[in-house]
Amino acid sequence: MSANLSAFLYLVAGVLFILSLRGLSSPASSRQGNLFGMIGMAIAVATTLANHPPADGLAWVLVIVGIAIGAVIGAVIARRVPMTSMPELVAAFHSLVGMAAVLVAAGAFYAPEAFDIGTPGNIHPQSLVEMSLGVAIGALTFTGSVIAFLKLSARMSGAPIILPGRHIINIAIAVALVFFIVRLVLTGGAIDFWLIVILALALGVLMIIPIGGADMPVVISMLNSYSGWAAAGIGFTLGNSALIITGALVGSSGAILSYIMCHAMNRSFISVILGGFGGETAAAGGGAGGEQKPAKLGSADDAAFIMKNASKVIIVPGYGMAVAQAQHALREMADILKKEGVEVKYAIHPVAGRMPGHMNVLLAEANVPYDEVFELEDINSEFAQADIAFVIGANDVTNPAAEEDKTSPIYGMPVLQVWKAGTVMFIKRSLASGYAGIDNPLFYRDNTMMLLGDAKKVTENIVKAM
Amino acid sequence: MEHAAQVVDPFIFRLSIFVLAVFVGYFVVWSVTPALHTPLMSVTNAISSVIVVGALLAGGVANVSSGSGWARAFGFVALIFACINIFGGFLVTQRMLAMYKKKSK
């Protein structure tokens, strides 16, 4: 196969990857998009094998065995993972991309002739720059994603770990990284290569440990972006357009998602990166409850009666619903209401789950049609016309303090204006504050009815009462 | 006057592709519906594993020196990681996307 033909085929693969993302603009075209992605990947792999076939029989065996092992593990994971665990899975996948980038760079460093970038010990300086950037970002993505995985899967506490002088340590590591990258480019020494890897691995850990659990949706998007830039760096080393295009796509995708998540939490990207959020705010929220106001408690029977007589109900699900596995009971409730002629819609805040779009997946899994699910800006104006806002497992994203109380830590965050509905029903375990540790004044309002208990049990009781 | 043959460094071509792809990515990703942001992350994960081409090059290198032996080992492990991502990423995306249904009636 000529070099021109293979370069062209890599370009085709790159375009197919663009189309795979383009397909996600609507659920209807998304499945076709995913197929384009698979075809693109197949073309890229086939082109590489045709153009640079493994050198001997053993190499062929290694390649086939490697693909087979990966395929089996990947397929089993994809089939078994519960949808509530998607954030952990994505974090784990990011770590693999990061590590693969490091290993490919190491392979290129030890066998540069296979990559057309020079001979051992005498690699083109420009390739060394590209390679070292790819390897540094890749190593950082690897350990950062491992920490994010441990935090998201609760194998490690979500509380921020604040080291004294952590900013100085991080800056020192960054400076050292630059120093060794320069030395690698000048001397091509293997020691410098591995020092870059070690320093970047350490930096990845130090960057993510101070970030609290509430900011994980930003972290996971950010690591998504990093994994893309790492791939692009390796793409430059290999001179492979499919890899460069994909790296750029993934890098900008992750960056945009980070921006959307920061915006939804009214946090600046810098303050998330600096970390420490979620540690001290819990104390601040506790102090506000000086005067004990009475909250109106309701029963499942009351809720069932009121909802059946309503004409429009907006359901606001939060992560608490997913933890209680209440989504199926919730959909059953919505089905009964629809049969009674009640209009039912779902309102989703961008940070309702643990990663961008997580709640939409959880509802889709419970067979909620996607055209009944609406984003914050599309549905906020409708609460005023709704008879009931049914809040299940969400709290902070409905807090009116974000619009009314300038002293609140979440002031300015966009929230779902559930309080404008005729009646607000809150399904919660207790009257305690939410994830961000902030008291919700909505609990004590006249038009609020609290349904205390496990989200799944309460919903099931409502269904029975109907 | 004689024209000097001006050769553009291939790096510039790669950089052009990269910069344009960043812009393409920017516009394509903003057009993704927020309801599909989780599948977006899993599919970007899968496609970024096209780094597998590097793993194939390293894993299949001619075994002539200790350096190429190392390259094979690194390539083999990278190949497994990338393939976990490719198969896992595309299949889990497919599983998620199959759940998104319109109102049936």
Side-chain angles (χ1 to χ4, degrees):
Chain A
M1 191 184 285
S2 80
N4 286 333
L5 179 59
S6 66
F8 176 74
L9 288 174
Y10 286 130
L11 180 64
V12 170
V15 171
L16 285 167
F17 293 150
I18 293 173
L19 291 176
S20 79
L21 299 194
R22 181 78 188 105
L24 293 172
S25 57
S26 98
S29 58
S30 61
R31 287 173 275 262
Q32 191 193 30
N34 199 38
L35 190 64
F36 282 147
M38 294 186 203
I39 296 170
M41 189 61 72
I43 290 176
V45 170
T47 305
T48 308
L49 286 177
N51 206 31
H52 290 271
D56 49 49
L58 176 65
W60 270 109
V61 171
L62 282 179
V63 164
I64 289 165
V65 169
I67 293 176
I69 294 174
V72 170
I73 297 176
V76 169
I77 293 174
R79 194 164 298 250
R80 293 219 181 131
V81 66
M83 285 300 138
T84 40
S85 305
M86 276 311 293
E88 294 100 286
L89 180 72
V90 169
F93 279 169
H94 287 156
S95 74
L96 293 180
V97 177
M99 200 61 207
V102 172
L103 291 167
V104 169
F109 186 77
Y110 283 95
E113 66 279 6
F115 295 77
D116 299 323
I117 53 170
T119 52
N122 196 8
I123 301 173
H124 307 315
Q126 192 182 311
S127 302
L128 283 172
V129 176
E130 297 156 358
M131 187 193 285
S132 51
L133 286 177
V135 83
I137 303 172
L140 170 83
T141 307
F142 173 68
T143 47
S145 301
V146 168
I147 301 290
F149 169 80
L150 293 174
K151 285 196 175 196
L152 284 164
S153 60
R155 287 180 173 86
M156 181 177 156
S157 158
I161 299 169
I162 314 274
L163 297 179
R166 65 205 158 94
H167 296 314
I168 295 168
I169 299 175
N170 289 352
I171 290 168
I173 294 179
V175 170
L177 263 177
V178 174
F179 173 77
F180 287 113
I181 289 174
V182 172
R183 224 175 70 169
L184 174 70
V185 173
L186 293 177
T187 65
I191 295 171
D192 298 303
F193 180 89
W194 291 109
L195 279 172
I196 292 169
V197 173
I198 291 167
L199 284 170
L201 288 173
L203 191 59
V205 174
L206 292 171
M207 270 181 70
I208 306 301
I209 55 169
I211 302 179
D215 283 337
M216 277 303 144
V218 181
V219 170
I220 188 167
S221 316
M222 187 179 83
L223 291 165
N224 185 237
S225 181
Y226 287 177
S227 68
W229 303 132
I234 302 299
F236 272 94
T237 313
L238 270 60
N240 183 308
S241 54
L243 200 38
I244 294 175
I245 293 173
T246 314
L249 289 179
V250 178
S252 43
S253 164
I256 290 172
L257 291 175
S258 313
Y259 169 81
I260 293 174
M261 289 297 107
C262 282
H263 179 73
M265 294 193 289
N266 191 37
R267 311 249 295 116
S268 82
F269 189 66
I270 301 294
S271 73
V272 172
I273 300 296
L274 294 179
F277 188 71
E280 65 287 336
T281 41
E291 33 160 348
Q292 253 322 325
K293 291 157 286 185
K296 215 162 72 183
L297 301 182
S299 70
D301 296 305
D302 302 338
F305 179 76
I306 298 172
M307 274 197 278
K308 273 174 97 170
N309 291 300
S311 62
K312 182 169 181 174
V313 174
I314 300 179
I315 298 172
V316 180
Y319 193 67
M321 175 207 75
V323 173
Q325 289 292 316
Q327 54 269 46
H328 297 275
L330 184 68
R331 206 247 320 140
E332 222 177 298
M333 184 189 94
D335 285 349
I336 296 174
L337 286 174
K338 278 192 270 178
K339 250 180 231 151
E340 298 279 330
V342 183
E343 187 188 0
V344 181
K345 286 183 173 179
Y346 295 81
I348 295 195
H349 192 277
V351 291
R354 282 286 175 277
M355 70 187 286
H358 193 195
M359 192 53 62
N360 302 76
V361 176
L362 295 170
L363 290 178
E365 190 189 18
N367 286 322
V368 173
Y370 63 80
D371 41 5
E372 288 176 7
V373 181
F374 296 88
E375 302 300 317
L376 180 132
E377 56 265 36
D378 299 327
I379 202 160
N380 240 352
S381 58
E382 288 191 33
F383 281 107
Q385 290 110 50
D387 302 295
I388 293 161
F390 187 83
V391 184
I392 175 165
N395 182 1
D396 295 329
V397 298
T398 65
N399 196 333
E403 293 191 354
E404 294 159 5
D405 178 7
K406 286 200 167 108
T407 61
S408 171
I410 59 166
Y411 181 73
M413 172 172 131
V415 286
L416 291 160
Q417 298 164 338
V418 293
W419 59 87
K420 292 193 175 160
T423 305
V424 184
M425 291 184 186
F426 254 104
I427 299 196
K428 259 188 120 279
R429 264 175 210 287
S430 70
L431 291 172
S433 57
Y435 208 58
I438 304 150
D439 208 27
N440 191 342
L442 207 51
F443 298 166
Y444 313 108
R445 292 205 177 170
D446 291 335
N447 65 339
T448 303
M449 181 196 245
M450 301 297 297
L451 299 158
L452 297 184
D454 176 75
K456 188 177 178 183
K457 275 216 187 87
V458 173
T459 314
E460 283 170 350
N461 288 340
I462 294 175
V463 170
K464 259 182 237 154
M466 280 170 172
Chain B
M1 214 170 87
E2 198 187 336
H3 265 292
Q6 289 198 315
V7 179
V8 178
D9 190 319
F11 172 77
I12 299 301
F13 284 119
R14 286 165 203 169
L15 190 66
S16 318
I17 294 174
F18 177 72
V19 172
L20 292 176
V22 168
F23 279 91
V24 171
Y26 181 85
F27 291 108
V28 168
V29 171
W30 273 117
S31 78
V32 171
T33 166
L36 293 176
H37 276 162
T38 296
L40 170 68
M41 290 191 92
S42 60
V43 84
T44 50
N45 230 311
I47 62 173
S48 58
S49 303
V50 70
I51 201 159
V52 72
V53 300
L56 289 172
L57 290 182
V61 72
N63 201 1
V64 288
S65 62
S66 71
S68 50
W70 279 111
R72 275 191 176 194
F74 291 136
F76 179 65
V77 180
L79 184 62
I80 294 176
F81 284 179
C83 285
I84 292 176
N85 246 331
I86 292 170
F87 286 86
F90 280 126
L91 292 176
V92 87
T93 307
Q94 194 175 43
R95 195 180 135 200
M96 275 192 276
L97 293 177
M99 295 176 193
Y100 284 81
K101 292 189 190 83
K102 264 197 138 126
K103 226 177 285 187
S104 54
K105 239 162 240 173

